[in-house]
Amino acid sequence: MDENKGTLTDEERKELEELRAEKRARAKREQEARDAAELNQLREEKKRSELDKAEAERIAAQREKGRELMEPDDDLHMPLGQKIVLVVVAAIAVAFILSIILG
């Protein structure tokens, strides 16, 4: 019996090969699962990046529109937004004064 301790029987070799094959199959499944998870993560990052870029472009466009409405141009002409605000404030002031006088 002491002689056989270092060697495997045919049955043991067969079992060993089956276990090794199962181990390789399990490792392959795990690697495929990791690859699929990584692919999904990368897709989500790409989508999030595209959404962030679109949001940044939208904000920049809104800021430019606001700048055009409220900031004077190079010739220091009053922008449209300021004219509208002044007209509304003047109308409110006139309405307030008329309500005091007629009220």
Side-chain angles (χ1 to χ4, degrees):
M1 282 298 233
D2 290 334
E3 298 172 4
N4 291 338
K5 281 191 173 182
T7 60
L8 298 175
T9 64
D10 290 339
E11 194 174 294
E12 290 173 328
R13 287 185 203 282
K14 183 178 178 183
E15 182 182 2
L16 179 62
E17 289 303 318
E18 288 174 1
L19 291 173
R20 286 179 179 167
E22 287 176 13
K23 182 179 178 182
R24 284 190 300 268
R26 186 174 50 251
K28 183 178 179 182
R29 285 191 306 269
E30 290 171 355
Q31 181 63 39
E32 289 173 351
R34 283 191 300 270
D35 290 345
E38 182 182 8
L39 177 62
N40 288 335
Q41 179 185 3
L42 292 172
R43 283 179 178 163
E44 289 175 11
E45 287 176 9
K46 182 179 178 184
K47 183 178 179 181
R48 193 171 29 253
S49 173
E50 290 171 354
L51 290 174
D52 289 346
K53 183 179 176 184
E55 180 68 13
E57 289 174 357
R58 185 185 66 78
I59 290 171
Q62 286 180 341
R63 286 184 183 199
E64 182 60 32
K65 184 178 178 182
R67 205 173 286 118
E68 289 173 2
L69 266 177
M70 296 305 289
E71 290 183 5
D73 60 9
D74 293 336
D75 296 332
L76 297 179
H77 289 102
M78 187 179 293
L80 178 62
Q82 287 181 356
K83 290 178 185 177
I84 293 171
V85 168
L86 289 175
V87 168
V88 169
V89 168
I92 291 172
V94 167
F96 180 72
I97 292 172
L98 287 176
S99 70
I100 291 176
I101 293 174
L102 300 176

